[in-house]
Amino acid sequence: MKKRMLAVAISLALGAQAAVAAEANQAPKVQQGNPDLERKIDVLTEEVEKLKSSMTLPEKTEMKSVYGLGPAASKVYGVSRGLSIGGYGEGYYQNLVSDKGTGANKADFLRLVTYIGYKFTDKLIFNSEIEFEHGSTGKGGEVSVEFAYLDYLFNPAFNVRAGMVLVPMGLINEYHEPVFFNSVLRPQVEQTVIPTTWREIGAGAFGELAPGLTYKAYVLNGMNASGFSADGIRSGRQNGAQARAEDLAFVARLDYTPTLGLTVGGSVYTGNSGQNQVIAGQRPDARLNLYELHGVWQYRGLELKALGAVGNIGDANVLSTGKAVNAAVPERFYGWYTEAGYDVLPLLKKDSTQSLIPFVRYERYNTQDEVPAGFTPNRAKDIELWVAGVNYKPHPQVAIKADYRNFEPQAGTKADEVNLGVAFVF
């Protein structure tokens, strides 16, 4: 209705302006020296320009992170009112170069994402992410809601969020837009130990307690322990899809930015995962505790990152019943990584808006660190990973990437990879 009224107003104003102009052309002697008529024409012209501007999207939008989300996911917080649209996409080619075994090279348009947000008022906001994976639902892909929530912004220190929310753990789970991490694929620790992208149904609070000190705290549906395996907890995510909610969980996160460019923080997740299911003739609590610490330091072209996470699972002996001796659900699992990258392009061209970032990352993760009595840790799940590559950004919202991933499991072999990728965000 508002748009229809604006369109009518513009049409009337343009019509009036045209009529006045026609009258002026037909009777220039009448218009000349008539200050009142000239003033009316100026007012009409100014109002028409204002109406045009209000119906036109701005040519540039600032890409800025809000509340820990990626810049594109944050766009709805920057609009004055109404609809916002953003998104990102990424695809890659992978070539297996050693220890290939029966593996195959592949090309995959990994995901195309659309952000749709709506700002009802300055305080009431809806935000969502809809993801299309692997190019087609007919070939192993899927369409998923990654998050969909309502925010009510009371004040900077206390705000409320409810819906399908991203679990606020690690560096990638909330801030996962591919232009803003260097490697072609997400860090392996933040796929295996922290099962990115991890989202559940929940509600909670977030805000800034003091300058530079932010928090999030949610109550969520718990994970589903029937999906836990020797590979960890990733398949225990319920992702808001008719999720069992017999057991609830709690997650909290703190981040502190004492000075520009430096952020340190951590998070904790705890909750039962048994969901009142009968497993091996019992109803285990299967309590999951997951802890992580992280830090990022940016100085000029240099960026350093570090993250460590450790988890433990209760009743792992029950969950492991009936599994092979070396395929137990772990009692304890962990992972950590460090990364360094440097944007060398400003050294070559001071005022360039492009980036060229060589980087290196070391990861260590083990989903079989401790297993129940009677089982043997699968040392093939204890992996060192070196990643080296380059991230070229011809535009701040576009990335062309290449990297080499060298896997070193403590037992057996795992193919090394050369990955080439493209990514964009808008």
Side-chain angles (χ1 to χ4, degrees):
M1 179 62 74
K2 289 182 179 179
K3 289 185 177 179
R4 188 177 299 173
M5 293 175 65
L6 283 172
V8 170
I10 288 176
S11 299
L12 291 173
L14 289 173
Q17 186 178 7
V20 172
E23 182 182 346
N25 288 334
Q26 291 175 4
K29 291 181 181 180
V30 176
Q31 178 182 355
Q32 191 171 16
N34 189 337
D36 186 56
L37 184 59
E38 291 177 357
R39 182 182 62 79
K40 290 180 179 179
I41 292 173
D42 290 341
V43 169
L44 280 171
T45 301
E46 184 178 344
E47 290 302 315
V48 167
E49 291 303 318
K50 286 181 179 179
L51 287 169
K52 285 181 179 179
S53 298
S54 69
M55 297 182 68
T56 303
L57 292 173
E59 293 183 4
K60 292 184 179 180
T61 56
E62 184 181 7
M63 299 296 286
K64 180 182 178 182
S65 173
V66 178
Y67 302 125
L69 296 170
S74 302
K75 288 179 72 173
V76 67
Y77 297 97
V79 300
S80 57
R81 194 64 54 85
L83 186 69
S84 73
I85 296 177
Y88 70 85
E90 57 181 323
Y92 73 101
Y93 167 74
Q94 183 177 87
N95 184 273
L96 305 182
V97 295
S98 67
D99 301 322
K100 185 172 180 178
T102 58
N105 301 334
K106 66 179 179 181
D108 185 19
F109 197 85
L110 192 56
R111 51 179 61 92
L112 178 65
V113 164
T114 300
Y115 294 117
I116 301 174
Y118 197 88
K119 197 169 192 179
F120 299 96
T121 69
D122 289 342
K123 292 186 176 295
L124 184 59
I125 293 171
F126 167 76
N127 201 9
S128 70
E129 176 181 347
I130 301 172
E131 178 175 287
F132 301 82
E133 290 188 344
H134 306 300
S136 171
T137 57
K139 294 184 178 181
E142 62 181 14
V143 179
S144 300
V145 178
E146 294 285 288
F147 64 73
Y149 62 77
L150 284 168
D151 277 354
Y152 194 85
L153 308 179
F154 286 96
N155 57 61
F158 180 78
N159 307 286
V160 173
R161 176 170 294 168
M164 184 186 291
V165 299
L166 295 171
V167 180
M169 299 197 79
L171 296 174
I172 296 291
N173 202 53
E174 292 183 297
Y175 199 96
H176 54 247
E177 294 165 8
V179 172
F180 305 112
F181 57 85
N182 289 321
S183 51
V184 175
L185 301 173
R186 297 169 181 175
Q188 203 65 34
V189 168
E190 295 207 64
Q191 296 185 63
T192 304
V193 179
I194 301 173
T196 302
T197 302
W198 183 11
R199 69 272 190 193
E200 304 290 358
I201 303 295
F206 64 97
E208 187 173 27
L209 297 172
L213 180 62
T214 61
Y215 75 95
K216 293 186 178 80
Y218 303 150
V219 175
L220 313 162
N221 63 265
M223 296 189 89
N224 189 341
S226 66
F228 295 168
S229 71
D231 291 313
I233 64 174
R234 186 174 180 84
S235 294
R237 298 173 302 168
Q238 300 205 71
N239 298 333
Q242 299 186 38
R244 289 179 174 270
E246 293 289 330
D247 290 322
L248 301 180
F250 174 76
V251 63
R253 176 189 182 112
L254 281 175
D255 283 292
Y256 182 50
T257 303
T259 186
L260 185 64
L262 175 63
T263 298
V264 294
S267 58
V268 58
Y269 172 100
T270 184
N272 289 347
S273 305
Q275 299 296 351
N276 198 32
Q277 299 173 96
V278 176
I279 300 176
Q282 301 184 50
R283 295 185 186 273
D285 290 335
R287 189 167 196 83
L288 170 65
N289 297 312
L290 183 61
Y291 315 91
E292 68 87 16
L293 295 172
H294 57 264
V296 179
W297 182 47
Q298 297 172 316
Y299 179 72
R300 297 184 179 179
L302 177 67
E303 182 179 65
L304 302 177
K305 296 180 180 180
L307 178 142
V310 60
N312 56 70
I313 300 172
D315 299 314
N317 57 329
V318 177
L319 302 178
S320 300
T321 301
K323 297 183 182 294
V325 69
N326 65 342
V329 171
E331 292 181 332
R332 184 178 185 271
F333 58 99
Y334 74 89
W336 61 274
Y337 70 85
T338 59
E339 178 179 312
Y342 195 92
D343 185 2
V344 300
L345 214 51
L347 302 177
L348 306 175
K349 189 176 180 181
K350 185 177 180 181
D351 299 325
S352 177
T353 59
Q354 301 183 26
S355 301
L356 182 64
I357 309 171
F359 72 95
V360 62
R361 181 170 69 237
Y362 175 78
E363 302 190 52
R364 181 69 182 266
Y365 57 100
N366 184 358
T367 60
Q368 293 274 283
D369 186 47
E370 292 182 8
V371 297
F375 290 86
T376 302
N378 187 342
R379 298 181 67 242
K381 308 297 183 183
D382 184 358
I383 297 174
E384 292 183 87
L385 171 60
W386 283 96
V387 185
V390 62
N391 180 8
Y392 170 56
K393 297 183 182 180
H395 184 279
Q397 293 168 234
V398 176
I400 301 169
K401 308 179 186 183
D403 63 41
Y404 186 95
R405 301 209 302 174
N406 173 245
F407 292 89
E408 292 292 342
Q410 300 306 300
T413 60
K414 186 173 175 60
D416 294 347
E417 305 164 357
V418 171
N419 296 303
L420 306 175
V422 294
F424 57 87
V425 62
F426 60 90

